[in-house]
Amino acid sequence: MAYHHISDTYIALFTHFIRCGVWEAVYIIEGLLKNTSEVKPTTVHADTQGQNVPVFALAHLLGFDLMPRIRNWKGLTFYRPSKRCEHVHIDSLFGEAGKNVIDWDLIESQFRHLMKVAVSVREGAISSATLLKRLRSGSHKNSTYTAFREVGRVIRTVQLLRYLSDAPLRRRVTAATNKVESFNRFSQWVGFGNQGVLADNDPVEQEKAMKFNALLTNAVIFHNALDIAETIRQPLEEGWEIDPEDLAHISPYLTEHIKRFGEYSTHELGIQPKAYDPKLDVDFTQLRDQNLRAEGFGTAA
């Protein structure tokens, strides 16, 4: 199964293969650590499978804000900071009074070890996928497992409370995951050859096909972005005022004007293209400030 990491700027930054049926959450961090682009995310989005307490813990220790779309949040446990902690309006979310309490002493006693593990993952001494698999299947008597579990419970509880109380945050998470799903459909449309079926049994050739498809998809996205900018410049030159919020609804995943089955000329490959101008005379400051904390990656399988 091809697993993509999609930037908030719509493009695929990293693609690799994972086995079908595996727990996808373990590969979220792995892809981010292999990212060599100039985009350095602070926020990571994923589908419901991306949420798990060890993943929340490792993402937090590595400096990422994990914000997955959680469809089954009602079935998740909210944890109290202490046994005496009670909430006026939302106490029922935390279950029975005095239960589901974070073990802060365990976190404090294991914190130095947790940071050593996080540094080892960041430096490549241990794979994040390997670590998370061990944490998922490890014994509850193991202090490393239980410490990661406690940190993850804290971070996930905070994230759940943010998700429930912040409507703009929910919209950002939904928009990010929808963008990833749109990329999947767009890349499948681009990879129309053989109806998108990978007939080669060689894993190396399969991975080449998927990565070349992602590269071609990014090129078409870039082409669409330039076309959109050029189209917008025309009314600007005529004195029209362009609302940046209207432009925010335009996606570069456009297909109507692409001649997918059209002419493929090779004699123009050596022609140097004209310099492109990505600038628009539109003030995006307000939108940029609103989405400053939402910049990051989405993941797509």
Side-chain angles (χ1 to χ4, degrees):
M1 180 168 58
Y3 201 74
H4 308 291
H5 287 261
I6 311 302
S7 166
D8 202 43
T9 58
Y10 291 93
I11 63 174
L13 291 174
F14 189 79
T15 301
H16 62 130
F17 271 92
I18 63 176
R19 296 190 307 275
C20 295
V22 300
W23 183 42
E24 296 176 21
V26 302
Y27 291 96
I28 294 176
I29 306 299
E30 188 77 0
L32 296 178
L33 295 178
K34 291 182 178 180
N35 168 44
T36 58
S37 73
E38 295 180 355
V39 178
K40 302 301 179 184
T42 57
T43 303
V44 186
H45 299 286
D47 213 337
T48 301
Q49 284 202 46
Q51 66 85 20
N52 189 278
V53 285
V55 182
F56 271 102
L58 186 57
H60 178 72
L61 293 174
L62 293 174
F64 301 119
D65 191 5
L66 181 60
M67 294 174 116
R69 177 170 58 186
I70 303 177
R71 294 178 178 175
N72 58 339
W73 63 268
K74 293 182 180 180
L76 300 178
T77 303
F78 290 67
Y79 289 87
R80 303 176 186 271
S82 67
K83 290 184 178 180
R84 297 181 179 180
C85 177
E86 293 185 8
H87 303 278
V88 177
H89 301 293
I90 60 172
D91 200 63
S92 59
L93 293 174
F94 296 82
E96 186 179 346
K99 298 293 184 64
N100 303 326
V101 179
I102 297 297
D103 188 347
W104 297 104
D105 292 335
L106 174 64
I107 294 176
E108 183 177 2
S109 65
Q110 294 292 322
F111 185 75
R112 188 181 298 274
H113 184 62
L114 292 177
M115 292 306 299
K116 287 182 178 179
V117 174
V119 171
S120 297
V121 171
R122 181 175 289 279
E123 297 302 317
I126 180 175
S127 164
S128 63
T130 301
L131 172 65
L132 290 170
K133 286 177 183 177
R134 291 177 181 175
L135 291 177
R136 191 188 186 206
S137 60
S139 170
H140 288 211
K141 296 181 180 179
N142 183 282
S143 58
T144 301
Y145 172 88
T146 52
F148 264 98
R149 180 196 62 190
E150 289 302 301
V151 173
R153 285 174 172 177
V154 173
I155 304 304
R156 188 170 71 175
T157 299
V158 172
Q159 177 60 27
L160 285 171
L161 292 173
R162 290 175 61 196
Y163 190 81
L164 293 177
S165 61
D166 190 342
L169 173 65
R170 293 197 296 273
R171 287 194 292 268
R172 290 200 301 271
V173 172
T174 300
T177 49
N178 287 344
K179 184 181 297 182
V180 169
E181 292 169 358
S182 297
F183 176 89
N184 273 339
R185 291 191 294 270
F186 188 69
S187 64
Q188 289 171 4
W189 181 88
V190 171
F192 63 88
N194 201 28
Q195 297 182 338
V197 176
L198 298 180
D200 199 311
N201 290 327
D202 185 351
V204 175
E205 295 302 318
Q206 291 176 351
E207 191 163 1
K208 281 183 182 179
M210 292 307 303
K211 291 189 174 183
F212 288 152
N213 175 256
L215 178 61
L216 180 58
T217 302
N218 286 345
V220 177
I221 292 171
F222 177 66
H223 173 79
N224 284 344
L226 293 182
D227 282 351
I228 292 170
E230 184 62 30
T231 302
I232 294 170
R233 287 193 190 95
Q234 295 177 11
L236 285 174
E237 293 173 354
E238 297 174 3
W240 290 82
E241 183 177 346
I242 303 296
D243 189 339
E245 292 190 0
D246 292 336
L247 297 182
H249 293 282
I250 300 177
S251 167
Y253 299 148
L254 304 174
T255 60
E256 291 83 356
H257 64 301
I258 303 296
K259 294 183 178 180
R260 188 172 54 162
F261 303 106
E263 298 177 359
Y264 291 81
S265 300
T266 57
H267 68 281
E268 297 179 349
L269 293 178
I271 299 177
Q272 186 72 18
K274 296 180 180 179
Y276 61 89
D277 183 8
K279 302 296 182 182
L280 285 176
D281 189 18
V282 179
D283 185 8
F284 291 100
T285 305
Q286 182 178 357
L287 293 178
R288 188 177 297 113
D289 292 342
Q290 291 176 357
N291 296 308
L292 184 61
R293 294 193 61 191
E295 293 177 357
F297 281 120
T299 58

